[in-house]
């Protein structure tokens, strides 16, 4: 019976030694087998040093109770007398519930922790082969494997081995296990073993000598007939090799009464799970030379023969190695690399991303990916980089100057910590997982296992987040920073990337002209000025953003030009350094095409827009009118007035283009917008408002130059086409009509002369050659077209439309809306034309037939020669013209009865037709999707090429840039074109039914 005072003393000691359940621990210490040890401070101290003292004590009790009677005294006495053994046994029991279960099932296996007498003994493959030598079947192999694993874990948790040595030992144990499993398979099928040569090539972490406690063991099998076999026997030899390989996989992977060893995964072989399990060496080579993807060569970085025929394994490595080191020269290297980066992120379930130790941001894969990528790029010319282990490769990269020594040291420390976390998480239950646990007890054990004892949970989270942040930062930096070190003035003795190696890295990033890119970097980052120092801070991240675009060269060149123009402006570099969004926005805009950079370079100070939280919001018409008209009022001449107005237009066009690009591409702070229709509407409204304000400014300037503030006639500008529909794209002309009305007492001929002079002067001013983009005014939709007068009175329009108007002119007037000039006159013009465009009782059948005839004629006559009718955004099948004419026919037939149809905007009219049940919802959606897509294609072409176009570019880089704008990743331009054809084909089917009545 326990004395109460003594019980209190033991309870307190247990708490002090780290037990979380001292009452339960006290009961366990009362079992007869441990009663003699109850008050022994040596045992309590040893238990208190473990990751989980409660778990260690429970495991110890189970082990002692499982011992044969004659062994118990031996175990307890050894436990008290041999400190190395005590630390190993209790360390394992406190860290791994699964190994505690193994010892309870196989109670004599504790002797495995005594046999390694030297604390610094690190066994290799041969020692593990001896440890597995007694295995005669899958069950005994599993038991022997766990016994060897017990010794590895003991050295690990006691700190005898570091994380890299532990991973290497686990890989060596896997090698020995594969050899033992192959021996069992050969023994079971000696005739197959005699017929073929089989080599087992380890891949992944096993091949890289950095295996986890619980991981799939990735392998590739190579088979050949035995020497002297005729060619006709090759197929039989491969079948025999396949049976041996399959048997090996079953021995390791299938569950026995002892569970499984680990799954053997052969899916990294050519063609993956769809390919043959075993191939000859020549078959492997043929595949890699013709069909392999970049990621397959990345996987081969770690290939290592581990079992089977050693000569065949060596031949395989010798044959595939040259292909690995040519991978960075492949045509699709950059898109493939980018695809792999995206796949890492996409594979993480949203609910697990914050706990994902391997794939999450700042996780193990970030380190491994960056190191392997640098190996592929620079290992072509530097054989010292061709090691399989991540840490060894990182050390070589630092020695060669490809990564800064300080960065490499930080990355090494972070990787070791994260791998140690991964090891201890898996060791607990020997389960394959990369998720940091959420349970407080599990986190406490994990923290203590890593030596964090004061506040294990808080310290663990703090250290984990700190190392993850280092990885996130260096993942970007180590690939880009040495490029600058190749051209910058460095401190004496600092290792730097050679210009040749820097060029190789730029080429691998997707720069088409690495030599020119290096010149730009030198111009930006060389020297010891504060400007150069800030550039060296900015450029590593900017280079990454440029590399993620379709045209990295254009992005870097644009950045150099902007920096040259603004480099002496104090706020410029400070803005980019201190406002992260500004730098990323600038990178996206500069590398997305020609239009936005051209606009920016004409007035580089507009870069400030990119750092203003409200800077990417297009200005409304009232704001624009106020600014433009104020600028016109301050000017000394009409030319200066319109130059000021066009300067505002240029700046605001850049704002609109930048907002569109960033909304379409997305940035870290502003994800890609997923409503294409909203983007199109925003651009259409912004460009329309901008052009309308510019025309209003030109009108004011033309009037002031000759008549002061009072023109002899009232004057209005009516927007037509896309201008009137608020649907302008970046490359659209402004279709207009000009209308005037003589003021009281002014002769009609004098008013007409004044109106014509105003129109002529406006057009001249807006087309003066300047650095600003021109605004072309097109008045060809006026009565009588090009042969008719440029400007008419309201009465003249009324007379013409009453007597001579054709049905196509009434259709054109559907888009008419006043844009500038006298608002009252504009309003009366709209009242005049409403009966024409929305005729009472709708269109007659003759008028409908005429519209259909005109549309059919346009399709055959106006499509450019040689243009693909399935890809022409304006006139092609299911394009803008198809959708707009269909909607306009509905407006003319039903607008008199449905007020919602009385709008100049295509999408609004289409929505109104759907609401009025004039068109089924699904068909309206089909037409809307096609119209939005075609509009975005035209906008994309203008943004990318800097000049208008109605079809996809033929140049590969330009086509890829259009794809990125439309939301398609690298390598998916074919999918983009197929989607366009599919969407517009569906729209054309609706047009055939609704417009042509088919």
């Amino acid at each position: 019976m326990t004395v109460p005072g003594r019980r209190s003393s033991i309870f307190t000691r247990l708490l002090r030694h780290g037990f979380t359940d001292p009452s339960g621990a006290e009961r366990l210490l009362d079992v007869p087998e441990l009663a003699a040890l109850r008050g022994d401070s040596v045992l309590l101290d040893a238990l208190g040093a473990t990751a989980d003292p409660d778990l260690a004590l429970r495991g110890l009790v189970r082990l002692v109770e499982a011992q044969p009677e004659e062994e118990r005294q031996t175990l307890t006495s050894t436990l008290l007398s041999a400190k190395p053994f005590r630390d190993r046994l209790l360390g394992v029991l406190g860290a791994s519930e699964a190994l505690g279960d193994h010892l309870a099932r196989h109670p004599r296996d504790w002797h495995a922790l005594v046999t390694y007498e030297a604390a610094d003994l690190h066994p290799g493959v041969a020692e593990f082969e001896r440890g597995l030598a007694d295995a005669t079947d899958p069950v005994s192999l599993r038991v022997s494997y766990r016994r060897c694993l017990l010794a590895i874990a003991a050295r690990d948790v006691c700190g005898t081995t570091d994380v890299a040595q532990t991973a290497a030992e686990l890989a060596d144990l896997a090698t020995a296990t594969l050899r033992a499993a192959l021996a069992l398979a050969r023994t079971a099928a000696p005739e197959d073993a005699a017929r073929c040569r089989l080599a087992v090539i380890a891949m992944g972490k096993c091949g890289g000598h950095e295996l986890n406690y619980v991981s799939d063991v990735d392998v590739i099998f190579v088979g050949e007939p035995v020497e002297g076999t005729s060619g006709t026997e090759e197929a039989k030899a491969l079948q025999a090799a396949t049976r041996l390989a399959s048997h090996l996989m079953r021995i390791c992977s299938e569950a026995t009464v002892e569970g499984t060893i680990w799954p053997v995964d052969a899916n990294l072989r050519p063609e993956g799970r769809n390919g043959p399990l075993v191939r000859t060496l020549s078959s492997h080579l043929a595949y890699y030379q013709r069909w392999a993807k970049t990621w397959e060569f990345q996987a081969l970085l770690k290939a290592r023969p581990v079992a089977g025929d050693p000569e065949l394994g060596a031949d395989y490595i010798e044959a595939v190695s040259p292909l690995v080191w040519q991978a960075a020269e492949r045509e699709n290297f950059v898109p493939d690399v980018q695809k792999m980066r995206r796949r890492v992120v996409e594979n993480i379930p949203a609910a697990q991303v914050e706990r994902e130790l391997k794939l999450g941001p700042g996780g193990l894969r970030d380190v491994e990916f960056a190191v392997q990528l640098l190996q592929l790029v620079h290992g072509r010319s530097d054989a010292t980089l061709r090691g399989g282990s991540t840490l060894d490769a990182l050390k070589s990269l630092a020695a060669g100057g490809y990564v800064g020594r300080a960065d490499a040291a930080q990355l090494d420390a972070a990787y070791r910590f994260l791998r140690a976390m991964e090891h201890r998480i898996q060791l607990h239950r020997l389960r394959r997982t990369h998720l940091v646990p959420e349970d407080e007890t599990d986190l406490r054990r994990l923290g203590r296992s890593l030596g964090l004892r004061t506040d294990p949970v808080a310290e663990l989270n703090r250290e984990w987040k700190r190392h993850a942040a280092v990885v996130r930062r260096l993942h970007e930096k180590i690939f880009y920073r040495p490029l600058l070190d190749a051209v910058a003035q460095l401190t004496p003795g600092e290792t730097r990337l050679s210009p040749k190696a820097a060029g190789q890295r730029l080429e691998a990033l997707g720069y088409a002209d690495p030599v020119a890119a290096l010149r730009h970097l030198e111009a930006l980052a060389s020297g010891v000025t504060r400007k150069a120092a800030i550039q060296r801070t900015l450029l590593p991240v900017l280079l990454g953003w440029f590399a993620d675009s379709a045209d990295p060269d254009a992005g870097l060149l644009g950045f150099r030009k902007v920096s040259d123009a603004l480099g002496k402006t104090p706020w410029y570099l400070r803005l980019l350094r201190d406002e992260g969004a500004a730098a990323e926005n600038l990178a996206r805009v500069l590398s997305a095409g020609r239009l936005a950079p051209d606009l920016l370079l004409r007035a580089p100070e507009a870069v400030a827009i990119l750092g203003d939280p409200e800077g990417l919001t297009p200005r409304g018409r009232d704001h624009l009118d106020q600014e433009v008209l104020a600028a016109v009022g301050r000017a000394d001449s009409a030319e200066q007035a319109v130059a000021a107005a066009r300067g505002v237009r240029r700046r605001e066009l850049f704002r609109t283009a930048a907002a569109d690009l960033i909304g379409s591409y997305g940035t870290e702070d502003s994800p890609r917008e997923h409503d294409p229709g909203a983007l199109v509407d925003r651009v259409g409204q912004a460009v329309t408002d901008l052009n309308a304000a510019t025309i209003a400014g030109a009108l004011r300037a033309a009037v002031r130059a000759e008549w002061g503030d009072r023109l002899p006639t009232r004057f209005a500008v009516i927007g037509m086409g896309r201008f009137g529909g608020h649907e302008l794209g970046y490359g659209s002309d402004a279709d207009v009509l000009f209308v005037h009305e003589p003021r009281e007492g002014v002769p009609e001929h004098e008013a007409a002369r004044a109106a014509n002079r105003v129109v002529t002067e406006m057009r001249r001013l807006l087309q003066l050659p300047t650095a600003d983009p021109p605004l072309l005014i097109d008045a060809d939709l006026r009565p009588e077209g090009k042969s008719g007068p440029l400007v008419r009175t309201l009465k003249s329009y009324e007379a013409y439309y009453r007597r001579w108007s054709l049905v196509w002119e009434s259709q054109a007037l559907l888009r008419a809306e006043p844009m500038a000039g006298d608002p009252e006159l504009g309003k009366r013009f709209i009242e005049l034309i409403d009966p024409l465009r929305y005729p009472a009782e709708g269109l007659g059948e003759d008028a409908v037939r005429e519209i259909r005839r005109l549309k059919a004629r346009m399709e055959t006559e106006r499509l450019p020669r040689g243009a693909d009718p399935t890809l022409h955004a304006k006139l092609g099948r299911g394009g803008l013209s198809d959708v707009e004419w269909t909607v306009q026919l509905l407006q003319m037939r039903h607008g008199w009865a449905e007020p919602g149809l009385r709008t100049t905007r295509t999408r609004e009219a289409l929505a109104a037709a759907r609401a009025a049940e004039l068109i089924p919802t699904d068909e309206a959606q089909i037409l809307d999707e096609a119209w939005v897509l075609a509009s975005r294609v035209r906008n994309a072409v203008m943004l990318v090429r800097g000049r208008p176009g109605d079809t996809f570019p033929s140049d590969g880089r330009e086509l890829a840039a259009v794809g990125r704008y439309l939301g398609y990743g690298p390598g998916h331009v074919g999918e983009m074109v197929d989607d366009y054809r599919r969407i517009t084909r569906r729209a054309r089917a609706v047009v055939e039914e609704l417009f042509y009545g088919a």
Side-chain angles (χ1 to χ4, degrees), residues 106-117:
H106 304 280
R108 295 187 59 83
D109 276 4
W110 63 268
H111 290 280
L113 301 180
V114 181
T115 55
Y116 294 109
E117 296 174 357

Side-chain angles (χ1 to χ4, degrees), residues 933-963:
L933 178 57
S935 298
R936 295 202 76 211
V937 168
R938 296 181 89 204
N939 282 343
V941 171
M942 184 66 186
L943 286 166
V944 169
R945 303 179 69 191
R947 61 182 188 273
D950 290 315
T951 191
F952 291 96
S954 56
D955 178 81
R957 286 212 170 208
E958 291 179 347
L959 185 62
V962 169

Side-chain angles (χ1 to χ4, degrees), residues 25 37 176 200 243 254 282 304 423 475 683 717 892 962 982:
L37 305 176
V200 183
R243 288 191 290 270
E254 287 185 350
S282 60
R304 178 172 65 95
H423 277 183
H475 174 68
V683 170
V717 182
M892 296 183 75
V962 169
R982 173 179 54 80

Side-chain angles (χ1 to χ4, degrees), residues 24-154:
E26 193 173 5
R27 287 193 298 273
L28 288 174
L29 287 170
D30 278 337
V31 301
E33 292 80 8
L34 292 183
L37 305 176
R38 178 185 176 93
D40 197 299
S41 61
V42 170
L43 179 63
L44 287 183
D45 289 344
L47 286 168
T50 66
D52 187 340
D54 300 89
L55 179 64
L57 180 57
R58 289 197 298 272
L60 178 61
V61 170
R62 293 176 64 202
L63 174 61
V64 171
E65 289 178 339
Q67 295 299 311
E69 190 69 35
E70 66 277 8
E71 282 284 322
R72 290 181 184 174
Q73 183 59 42
T74 304
L75 172 59
T76 54
S77 61
T78 307
L79 190 66
L80 288 176
S81 62
K83 183 179 187 304
F85 167 70
R86 181 170 64 247
D87 291 343
R88 292 171 191 160
L89 175 62
L90 297 182
V92 168
L93 292 174
S96 178
E97 185 177 321
L99 289 177
D101 292 343
H102 172 83
L103 284 169
R105 290 195 306 273
H106 304 280
R108 295 187 59 83
D109 276 4
W110 63 268
H111 290 280
L113 301 180
V114 181
T115 55
Y116 294 109
E117 296 174 357
D120 58 349
L121 179 61
H122 306 305
V125 177
E127 286 81 359
F128 287 125
E129 285 187 296
R130 284 193 289 274
L132 303 176
D134 294 337
T136 57
D137 56 49
V139 175
S140 58
L141 180 61
R142 169 66 164 169
V143 173
S144 298
Y145 174 84
R146 278 291 178 91
R147 188 182 306 120
C148 293
L149 192 66
L150 184 67
I152 293 174

Side-chain angles (χ1 to χ4, degrees), residues 87-88 90-93 95 152-161 166 213 424 427 449:
D87 291 343
R88 292 171 191 160
L90 297 182
V92 168
L93 292 174
I152 293 174
R155 287 188 290 275
D156 178 17
V157 298
C158 292
T160 306
T161 54
T166 300
Y213 274 103
R424 302 301 166 79
L427 181 59
S449 77

